[in-house]
Amino acid sequence: MNVTKDKISSVFFKYSIPSVLGMLAISSASIVDGFFIGNYVGAFGLAAINISLPIFSFLFGFALMIAIGTSVVAGKLIGEGNIQTASIIFTKAVISIVIFSFLSCSILYFNIETLLYYLGADENLIDIAIEYLSIILIFIPFLMIGVVLDYFVRVDNRPNLAFITMLLSSIINIVLDYFFIVYLQKGIFGAALATGISQLSLIFILLPHFFSKKATLKFVSTIGNYIQILKATYNGASEFINEISVGITTLIFNYIMIKTFSTEGVAAFAVINYLLWIGIMISFGISDSLQPIISKNFGAKENKRIKEFLKIAFISTYIVGFFMIALIIFVPEQLANLFLEDTNYETKQIVLNFVTFIWIAFLFNGANLIVSAYFTAIHKPLHSAIIAISRSFIFPVLFIFILPMIFEKNGIFLVIPIAEFITFIISIVLFKNFSPRKIV
């Protein structure tokens, strides 16, 4: 399929459907994780995972930064017909993520306990959090490498392979969750091992593509220094900022939730994150699929096509948003029951108070993700970063301290919706200044 020539709706759905299904596979695996942990390990298991989230956000964010930044550059080069340089970018990106992932995870592994204390784990959580994180850190390098390979597979016109990989990885995770947690009763250790093995599978499924006849991008001898990778990575900085901001925001939220609601508050916030995760991952799948499409059309100077792709993307994310709003408004208790035993009444009540306000976020977060992805694809990383850091760090951190002083406990529940709304206004202003008809 020719991304710059073929029918717009056909191109969009060829890329977006596998991407969305892949993200659904990931989110469903995470939800099943939450189900097994919440029901067979308990609220403390959910809290331990949430305490560890800032570390995961940092590492996953770095992988996304390299993956998105370099793959967008490679997509533009492919659109210009420069396959050799695109392959050099690809090869250097893989080498970079291999070195960084194993080095950083090794450092973190040997400092787990100190790290968790800094993240706010108290004496009730420290042991179970160490048990979980010590296994996860062994496998995260394979996830980070897999993320980079996944993005280049999509740029290389194999979005279906990317989806199949995510689906198989998620199925492996779900099956192993049951096997380790329920059948073998290995608790949080089993949950971590199931997740880790599923991450390892990404490498075995994706890597063979680049040695096949279908591959446009190949591993080649790298020429010159890595300055071009640093420049390309900068283009994906908004995604790193977004992920690391989520981690920092989660750290602050965990502190506030522990202070306000004790450990049950952290467990409740973990459940809310699962609910947000579902809708955001679908919208992220749509926005993510736009990047190779728009980057190639940007390279080919097909600005009218970019406008049409964006129009379909905005409509799609709003459909997702309204669906999530309906679920949260009409069946909130059933959603909470997925992750919490009936005996966890206090945690469940915090979750129900949270969902009373959280649905508002789905009116705005999809559009924010689309505009951010658009700016990344047209090589406007600063504008993308402004949106990313606004919705995931600046406004959540600002409002988590201000709103509780005005609305007391309800102020905590309003933070995320108001942060998304203010970011939405910023997105509109930036988009008007750099709409498809104005870019060159």
Side-chain angles (χ1 to χ4, degrees), residues 75-131:
K76 185 172 184 289
L77 289 166
I78 293 171
E80 294 169 347
N82 193 345
I83 305 300
Q84 179 63 21
T85 305
S87 291
I88 291 173
I89 293 287
F90 160 65
T91 305
K92 288 183 176 180
V94 173
I95 292 171
S96 299
I97 196 63
V98 168
I99 294 171
F100 176 83
S101 62
F102 281 101
L103 182 62
S104 59
C105 287
S106 297
I107 294 170
L108 292 170
Y109 183 86
F110 291 108
N111 295 277
I112 289 178
E113 188 168 353
T114 303
L115 196 59
L116 285 169
Y117 276 121
Y118 279 122
L119 293 176
D122 58 17
E123 64 276 4
N124 296 318
L125 288 178
I126 191 70
D127 290 337
I128 193 170
I130 289 174
E131 187 177 5

Short mmCIF file of all heavy atoms in Angstrom, two decimals, residues 75-131:
data_model
loop_
_atom_site.label_atom_id
_atom_site.label_comp_id
_atom_site.label_asym_id
_atom_site.label_seq_id
_atom_site.Cartn_x
_atom_site.Cartn_y
_atom_site.Cartn_z
N GLY A 75 10.69 7.20 8.47
CA GLY A 75 9.50 7.26 7.62
C GLY A 75 9.60 8.39 6.60
O GLY A 75 9.24 8.21 5.43
N LYS A 76 10.09 9.54 7.04
CA LYS A 76 10.26 10.67 6.12
C LYS A 76 11.29 10.32 5.03
O LYS A 76 11.09 10.62 3.85
CB LYS A 76 10.71 11.91 6.89
CG LYS A 76 10.81 13.18 6.04
CD LYS A 76 11.07 14.39 6.93
CE LYS A 76 11.08 15.69 6.11
NZ LYS A 76 12.25 15.81 5.24
N LEU A 77 12.37 9.65 5.44
CA LEU A 77 13.41 9.25 4.47
C LEU A 77 12.86 8.24 3.47
O LEU A 77 13.17 8.31 2.26
CB LEU A 77 14.62 8.66 5.21
CG LEU A 77 15.46 9.65 6.01
CD1 LEU A 77 16.41 8.92 6.96
CD2 LEU A 77 16.25 10.57 5.07
N ILE A 78 12.03 7.31 3.94
CA ILE A 78 11.40 6.35 3.02
C ILE A 78 10.49 7.07 2.05
O ILE A 78 10.46 6.78 0.84
CB ILE A 78 10.63 5.27 3.81
CG1 ILE A 78 11.60 4.39 4.60
CG2 ILE A 78 9.79 4.41 2.87
CD1 ILE A 78 10.92 3.44 5.58
N GLY A 79 9.73 8.07 2.56
CA GLY A 79 8.86 8.86 1.69
C GLY A 79 9.64 9.61 0.63
O GLY A 79 9.14 9.84 -0.48
N GLU A 80 10.89 9.97 0.96
CA GLU A 80 11.75 10.67 0.00
C GLU A 80 12.51 9.70 -0.90
O GLU A 80 13.22 10.11 -1.81
CB GLU A 80 12.76 11.55 0.76
CG GLU A 80 12.09 12.69 1.52
CD GLU A 80 13.05 13.40 2.49
OE1 GLU A 80 14.15 12.85 2.75
OE2 GLU A 80 12.69 14.49 2.98
N GLY A 81 12.40 8.38 -0.60
CA GLY A 81 13.08 7.38 -1.40
C GLY A 81 14.49 7.05 -0.95
O GLY A 81 15.22 6.35 -1.65
N ASN A 82 14.90 7.52 0.22
CA ASN A 82 16.27 7.32 0.72
C ASN A 82 16.28 6.14 1.69
O ASN A 82 16.35 6.29 2.91
CB ASN A 82 16.76 8.59 1.41
CG ASN A 82 18.26 8.58 1.66
OD1 ASN A 82 18.89 7.53 1.58
ND2 ASN A 82 18.82 9.73 1.97
N ILE A 83 16.26 4.92 1.14
CA ILE A 83 16.14 3.70 1.93
C ILE A 83 17.41 3.41 2.73
O ILE A 83 17.36 2.98 3.88
CB ILE A 83 15.80 2.49 1.04
CG1 ILE A 83 14.54 2.77 0.20
CG2 ILE A 83 15.61 1.24 1.88
CD1 ILE A 83 13.31 3.06 1.00
N GLN A 84 18.58 3.64 2.13
CA GLN A 84 19.84 3.31 2.79
C GLN A 84 20.02 4.11 4.09
O GLN A 84 20.38 3.56 5.13
CB GLN A 84 21.01 3.58 1.84
CG GLN A 84 22.40 3.30 2.42
CD GLN A 84 22.62 1.84 2.78
OE1 GLN A 84 21.92 0.96 2.27
NE2 GLN A 84 23.57 1.57 3.67
N THR A 85 19.76 5.40 4.02
CA THR A 85 19.90 6.24 5.22
C THR A 85 18.87 5.84 6.27
O THR A 85 19.17 5.84 7.48
CB THR A 85 19.75 7.72 4.87
OG1 THR A 85 20.69 8.06 3.84
CG2 THR A 85 20.02 8.60 6.08
N ALA A 86 17.68 5.49 5.83
CA ALA A 86 16.64 5.02 6.76
C ALA A 86 17.10 3.75 7.48
O ALA A 86 16.87 3.59 8.69
CB ALA A 86 15.34 4.76 6.01
N SER A 87 17.77 2.85 6.77
CA SER A 87 18.27 1.61 7.38
C SER A 87 19.39 1.90 8.38
O SER A 87 19.51 1.22 9.41
CB SER A 87 18.78 0.65 6.30
OG SER A 87 17.72 0.15 5.53
N ILE A 88 20.20 2.90 8.10
CA ILE A 88 21.26 3.30 9.04
C ILE A 88 20.64 3.83 10.34
O ILE A 88 21.08 3.48 11.44
CB ILE A 88 22.19 4.34 8.40
CG1 ILE A 88 23.02 3.70 7.27
CG2 ILE A 88 23.13 4.96 9.45
CD1 ILE A 88 23.83 4.69 6.46
N ILE A 89 19.61 4.65 10.19
CA ILE A 89 18.89 5.18 11.36
C ILE A 89 18.32 4.03 12.19
O ILE A 89 18.44 3.99 13.42
CB ILE A 89 17.76 6.13 10.92
CG1 ILE A 89 18.32 7.41 10.28
CG2 ILE A 89 16.83 6.47 12.10
CD1 ILE A 89 18.95 8.37 11.26
N PHE A 90 17.70 3.09 11.51
CA PHE A 90 17.11 1.92 12.17
C PHE A 90 18.16 1.13 12.95
O PHE A 90 17.98 0.81 14.13
CB PHE A 90 16.42 1.03 11.14
CG PHE A 90 16.20 -0.38 11.59
CD1 PHE A 90 15.34 -0.67 12.64
CD2 PHE A 90 16.86 -1.44 10.96
CE1 PHE A 90 15.14 -1.99 13.06
CE2 PHE A 90 16.67 -2.74 11.37
CZ PHE A 90 15.81 -3.02 12.42
N THR A 91 19.28 0.83 12.30
CA THR A 91 20.34 0.03 12.94
C THR A 91 20.90 0.73 14.17
O THR A 91 21.07 0.12 15.24
CB THR A 91 21.47 -0.26 11.93
OG1 THR A 91 20.91 -0.88 10.77
CG2 THR A 91 22.52 -1.17 12.54
N LYS A 92 21.17 2.01 14.04
CA LYS A 92 21.72 2.77 15.17
C LYS A 92 20.71 2.89 16.31
O LYS A 92 21.09 2.89 17.49
CB LYS A 92 22.16 4.15 14.70
CG LYS A 92 23.42 4.14 13.83
CD LYS A 92 23.85 5.55 13.46
CE LYS A 92 25.17 5.53 12.68
NZ LYS A 92 25.60 6.88 12.30
N ALA A 93 19.44 2.98 15.97
CA ALA A 93 18.41 3.06 17.00
C ALA A 93 18.37 1.78 17.83
O ALA A 93 18.27 1.82 19.06
CB ALA A 93 17.04 3.32 16.37
N VAL A 94 18.47 0.64 17.17
CA VAL A 94 18.45 -0.64 17.88
C VAL A 94 19.68 -0.79 18.76
O VAL A 94 19.59 -1.21 19.92
CB VAL A 94 18.34 -1.82 16.88
CG1 VAL A 94 18.49 -3.16 17.61
CG2 VAL A 94 17.01 -1.78 16.14
N ILE A 95 20.84 -0.45 18.23
CA ILE A 95 22.08 -0.53 19.02
C ILE A 95 21.98 0.37 20.25
O ILE A 95 22.35 -0.02 21.36
CB ILE A 95 23.30 -0.12 18.16
CG1 ILE A 95 23.55 -1.17 17.07
CG2 ILE A 95 24.55 0.04 19.02
CD1 ILE A 95 24.59 -0.77 16.04
N SER A 96 21.45 1.57 20.07
CA SER A 96 21.33 2.53 21.18
C SER A 96 20.44 2.01 22.29
O SER A 96 20.78 2.11 23.48
CB SER A 96 20.79 3.86 20.66
OG SER A 96 21.65 4.42 19.70
N ILE A 97 19.29 1.43 21.92
CA ILE A 97 18.34 0.97 22.94
C ILE A 97 18.86 -0.27 23.65
O ILE A 97 18.62 -0.46 24.85
CB ILE A 97 16.93 0.73 22.34
CG1 ILE A 97 15.89 0.65 23.47
CG2 ILE A 97 16.89 -0.53 21.50
CD1 ILE A 97 15.73 1.90 24.27
N VAL A 98 19.60 -1.12 22.96
CA VAL A 98 20.18 -2.31 23.59
C VAL A 98 21.15 -1.89 24.69
O VAL A 98 21.10 -2.37 25.83
CB VAL A 98 20.89 -3.21 22.56
CG1 VAL A 98 21.75 -4.26 23.26
CG2 VAL A 98 19.87 -3.88 21.65
N ILE A 99 22.05 -0.96 24.36
CA ILE A 99 23.06 -0.51 25.34
C ILE A 99 22.40 0.18 26.52
O ILE A 99 22.68 -0.13 27.69
CB ILE A 99 24.07 0.44 24.67
CG1 ILE A 99 24.90 -0.33 23.62
CG2 ILE A 99 24.99 1.08 25.71
CD1 ILE A 99 25.78 0.57 22.76
N PHE A 100 21.49 1.12 26.24
CA PHE A 100 20.87 1.88 27.33
C PHE A 100 20.02 0.99 28.23
O PHE A 100 20.06 1.12 29.46
CB PHE A 100 20.01 3.02 26.77
CG PHE A 100 19.29 3.78 27.85
CD1 PHE A 100 19.92 4.79 28.54
CD2 PHE A 100 17.98 3.45 28.19
CE1 PHE A 100 19.27 5.48 29.56
CE2 PHE A 100 17.31 4.13 29.21
CZ PHE A 100 17.97 5.15 29.89
N SER A 101 19.23 0.10 27.64
CA SER A 101 18.28 -0.69 28.44
C SER A 101 18.98 -1.61 29.43
O SER A 101 18.61 -1.65 30.61
CB SER A 101 17.36 -1.50 27.51
OG SER A 101 18.10 -2.43 26.74
N PHE A 102 19.99 -2.31 28.98
CA PHE A 102 20.67 -3.24 29.89
C PHE A 102 21.50 -2.50 30.93
O PHE A 102 21.56 -2.93 32.10
CB PHE A 102 21.54 -4.22 29.09
CG PHE A 102 20.76 -5.33 28.46
CD1 PHE A 102 20.44 -5.30 27.10
CD2 PHE A 102 20.31 -6.39 29.22
CE1 PHE A 102 19.70 -6.32 26.52
CE2 PHE A 102 19.56 -7.43 28.65
CZ PHE A 102 19.25 -7.39 27.29
N LEU A 103 22.09 -1.38 30.55
CA LEU A 103 22.89 -0.61 31.50
C LEU A 103 22.01 0.00 32.59
O LEU A 103 22.29 -0.12 33.79
CB LEU A 103 23.66 0.48 30.76
CG LEU A 103 24.60 1.36 31.61
CD1 LEU A 103 25.69 0.51 32.25
CD2 LEU A 103 25.21 2.47 30.76
N SER A 104 20.94 0.66 32.19
CA SER A 104 20.07 1.34 33.16
C SER A 104 19.37 0.35 34.09
O SER A 104 19.27 0.58 35.30
CB SER A 104 19.04 2.21 32.44
OG SER A 104 18.25 1.42 31.57
N CYS A 105 18.88 -0.76 33.53
CA CYS A 105 18.18 -1.74 34.36
C CYS A 105 19.12 -2.42 35.35
O CYS A 105 18.72 -2.78 36.46
CB CYS A 105 17.49 -2.78 33.48
SG CYS A 105 16.03 -2.14 32.63
N SER A 106 20.38 -2.61 34.96
CA SER A 106 21.37 -3.19 35.89
C SER A 106 21.61 -2.26 37.07
O SER A 106 21.65 -2.70 38.24
CB SER A 106 22.70 -3.44 35.16
OG SER A 106 22.52 -4.39 34.13
N ILE A 107 21.74 -0.97 36.80
CA ILE A 107 21.95 0.02 37.88
C ILE A 107 20.75 0.04 38.82
O ILE A 107 20.90 0.02 40.05
CB ILE A 107 22.21 1.42 37.28
CG1 ILE A 107 23.54 1.44 36.52
CG2 ILE A 107 22.22 2.48 38.39
CD1 ILE A 107 23.77 2.70 35.71
N LEU A 108 19.55 0.05 38.26
CA LEU A 108 18.34 0.08 39.07
C LEU A 108 18.18 -1.19 39.90
O LEU A 108 17.75 -1.15 41.06
CB LEU A 108 17.11 0.29 38.18
CG LEU A 108 17.00 1.65 37.49
CD1 LEU A 108 15.88 1.64 36.46
CD2 LEU A 108 16.77 2.76 38.51
N TYR A 109 18.53 -2.33 39.30
CA TYR A 109 18.36 -3.62 39.98
C TYR A 109 19.16 -3.67 41.28
O TYR A 109 18.67 -4.19 42.30
CB TYR A 109 18.81 -4.75 39.05
CG TYR A 109 18.60 -6.14 39.64
CD1 TYR A 109 17.38 -6.79 39.51
CD2 TYR A 109 19.63 -6.77 40.33
CE1 TYR A 109 17.19 -8.06 40.05
CE2 TYR A 109 19.45 -8.03 40.88
CZ TYR A 109 18.23 -8.67 40.74
OH TYR A 109 18.04 -9.91 41.29
N PHE A 110 20.35 -3.13 41.26
CA PHE A 110 21.22 -3.20 42.44
C PHE A 110 20.93 -2.08 43.47
O PHE A 110 21.63 -1.97 44.48
CB PHE A 110 22.69 -3.17 42.02
CG PHE A 110 23.12 -4.41 41.31
CD1 PHE A 110 23.38 -4.40 39.94
CD2 PHE A 110 23.25 -5.61 42.00
CE1 PHE A 110 23.76 -5.56 39.28
CE2 PHE A 110 23.63 -6.78 41.34
CZ PHE A 110 23.89 -6.76 39.99
N ASN A 111 19.90 -1.29 43.19
CA ASN A 111 19.51 -0.23 44.13
C ASN A 111 18.00 -0.22 44.37
O ASN A 111 17.41 0.83 44.64
CB ASN A 111 19.96 1.13 43.59
CG ASN A 111 21.46 1.27 43.51
OD1 ASN A 111 22.12 1.59 44.49
ND2 ASN A 111 22.03 1.02 42.33
N ILE A 112 17.38 -1.39 44.28
CA ILE A 112 15.91 -1.47 44.34
C ILE A 112 15.35 -0.93 45.65
O ILE A 112 14.43 -0.09 45.64
CB ILE A 112 15.43 -2.93 44.14
CG1 ILE A 112 15.65 -3.38 42.70
CG2 ILE A 112 13.95 -3.04 44.48
CD1 ILE A 112 15.24 -4.81 42.45
N GLU A 113 15.86 -1.40 46.77
CA GLU A 113 15.26 -1.04 48.06
C GLU A 113 15.34 0.46 48.31
O GLU A 113 14.35 1.10 48.69
CB GLU A 113 15.96 -1.80 49.19
CG GLU A 113 15.25 -1.61 50.53
CD GLU A 113 15.75 -2.57 51.59
OE1 GLU A 113 16.55 -3.48 51.26
OE2 GLU A 113 15.35 -2.42 52.77
N THR A 114 16.51 1.04 48.06
CA THR A 114 16.68 2.49 48.23
C THR A 114 15.73 3.25 47.32
O THR A 114 15.09 4.24 47.72
CB THR A 114 18.13 2.90 47.91
OG1 THR A 114 19.01 2.16 48.75
CG2 THR A 114 18.33 4.39 48.13
N LEU A 115 15.63 2.78 46.09
CA LEU A 115 14.77 3.42 45.09
C LEU A 115 13.31 3.41 45.54
O LEU A 115 12.61 4.42 45.45
CB LEU A 115 14.92 2.68 43.76
CG LEU A 115 14.44 3.36 42.48
CD1 LEU A 115 15.14 4.69 42.26
CD2 LEU A 115 14.68 2.43 41.30
N LEU A 116 12.85 2.28 46.04
CA LEU A 116 11.45 2.16 46.45
C LEU A 116 11.12 3.05 47.66
O LEU A 116 10.02 3.58 47.75
CB LEU A 116 11.11 0.70 46.76
CG LEU A 116 10.95 -0.19 45.53
CD1 LEU A 116 10.88 -1.65 45.93
CD2 LEU A 116 9.70 0.20 44.73
N TYR A 117 12.06 3.20 48.55
CA TYR A 117 11.84 4.11 49.68
C TYR A 117 11.66 5.55 49.18
O TYR A 117 10.82 6.30 49.66
CB TYR A 117 12.99 4.03 50.68
CG TYR A 117 12.85 2.90 51.67
CD1 TYR A 117 13.82 1.91 51.76
CD2 TYR A 117 11.75 2.83 52.52
CE1 TYR A 117 13.70 0.87 52.67
CE2 TYR A 117 11.61 1.78 53.43
CZ TYR A 117 12.58 0.80 53.50
OH TYR A 117 12.45 -0.22 54.40
N TYR A 118 12.48 5.93 48.18
CA TYR A 118 12.34 7.26 47.59
C TYR A 118 10.99 7.42 46.88
O TYR A 118 10.46 8.53 46.79
CB TYR A 118 13.47 7.54 46.61
CG TYR A 118 14.77 7.98 47.25
CD1 TYR A 118 15.94 7.26 47.06
CD2 TYR A 118 14.81 9.11 48.07
CE1 TYR A 118 17.13 7.66 47.67
CE2 TYR A 118 15.99 9.51 48.67
CZ TYR A 118 17.15 8.79 48.47
OH TYR A 118 18.31 9.18 49.06
N LEU A 119 10.46 6.30 46.38
CA LEU A 119 9.18 6.36 45.67
C LEU A 119 7.99 6.35 46.62
O LEU A 119 6.84 6.41 46.17
CB LEU A 119 9.07 5.17 44.69
CG LEU A 119 10.05 5.19 43.52
CD1 LEU A 119 9.91 3.92 42.69
CD2 LEU A 119 9.82 6.41 42.63
N GLY A 120 8.25 6.25 47.90
CA GLY A 120 7.17 6.37 48.88
C GLY A 120 6.69 5.07 49.47
O GLY A 120 5.69 5.06 50.21
N ALA A 121 7.35 3.93 49.18
CA ALA A 121 6.92 2.65 49.75
C ALA A 121 7.18 2.65 51.25
O ALA A 121 8.29 2.96 51.70
CB ALA A 121 7.68 1.51 49.08
N ASP A 122 6.15 2.30 52.02
CA ASP A 122 6.32 2.21 53.48
C ASP A 122 6.61 0.77 53.87
O ASP A 122 6.77 -0.11 53.03
CB ASP A 122 5.10 2.76 54.20
CG ASP A 122 3.81 2.04 53.82
OD1 ASP A 122 3.90 0.92 53.26
OD2 ASP A 122 2.73 2.57 54.09
N GLU A 123 6.65 0.49 55.17
CA GLU A 123 6.99 -0.86 55.64
C GLU A 123 5.96 -1.90 55.22
O GLU A 123 6.25 -3.10 55.15
CB GLU A 123 7.15 -0.87 57.17
CG GLU A 123 5.90 -0.54 57.97
CD GLU A 123 5.69 0.97 58.13
OE1 GLU A 123 6.48 1.75 57.55
OE2 GLU A 123 4.73 1.35 58.82
N ASN A 124 4.73 -1.45 54.93
CA ASN A 124 3.69 -2.38 54.49
C ASN A 124 3.88 -2.82 53.03
O ASN A 124 3.41 -3.89 52.64
CB ASN A 124 2.30 -1.73 54.63
CG ASN A 124 1.95 -1.43 56.07
OD1 ASN A 124 2.20 -2.25 56.94
ND2 ASN A 124 1.38 -0.26 56.31
N LEU A 125 4.54 -1.99 52.24
CA LEU A 125 4.65 -2.24 50.80
C LEU A 125 6.04 -2.67 50.34
O LEU A 125 6.18 -3.25 49.27
CB LEU A 125 4.24 -0.98 50.02
CG LEU A 125 2.77 -0.59 49.99
CD1 LEU A 125 2.57 0.69 49.21
CD2 LEU A 125 1.94 -1.70 49.38
N ILE A 126 7.07 -2.38 51.12
CA ILE A 126 8.44 -2.51 50.61
C ILE A 126 8.77 -3.93 50.19
O ILE A 126 9.36 -4.15 49.12
CB ILE A 126 9.46 -1.98 51.66
CG1 ILE A 126 10.84 -1.86 51.02
CG2 ILE A 126 9.47 -2.85 52.90
CD1 ILE A 126 10.97 -0.77 50.02
N ASP A 127 8.40 -4.93 50.98
CA ASP A 127 8.77 -6.32 50.65
C ASP A 127 8.08 -6.81 49.38
O ASP A 127 8.72 -7.41 48.51
CB ASP A 127 8.43 -7.25 51.82
CG ASP A 127 9.34 -7.03 53.02
OD1 ASP A 127 10.46 -6.51 52.82
OD2 ASP A 127 8.93 -7.36 54.15
N ILE A 128 6.79 -6.57 49.27
CA ILE A 128 6.05 -7.04 48.10
C ILE A 128 6.47 -6.26 46.85
O ILE A 128 6.53 -6.80 45.75
CB ILE A 128 4.52 -6.95 48.35
CG1 ILE A 128 3.78 -7.73 47.26
CG2 ILE A 128 4.04 -5.51 48.40
CD1 ILE A 128 2.29 -7.89 47.56
N ALA A 129 6.81 -4.97 47.02
CA ALA A 129 7.27 -4.17 45.88
C ALA A 129 8.64 -4.64 45.38
O ALA A 129 8.89 -4.68 44.17
CB ALA A 129 7.32 -2.69 46.26
N ILE A 130 9.53 -5.00 46.31
CA ILE A 130 10.85 -5.53 45.92
C ILE A 130 10.69 -6.85 45.17
O ILE A 130 11.35 -7.09 44.15
CB ILE A 130 11.74 -5.73 47.17
CG1 ILE A 130 12.18 -4.37 47.73
CG2 ILE A 130 12.98 -6.57 46.83
CD1 ILE A 130 12.94 -4.45 49.05
N GLU A 131 9.81 -7.70 45.67
CA GLU A 131 9.57 -9.00 45.03
C GLU A 131 9.10 -8.82 43.59
O GLU A 131 9.54 -9.54 42.69
CB GLU A 131 8.52 -9.78 45.84
CG GLU A 131 8.32 -11.21 45.36
CD GLU A 131 7.32 -11.98 46.21
OE1 GLU A 131 6.71 -11.36 47.12
OE2 GLU A 131 7.14 -13.18 45.97
#
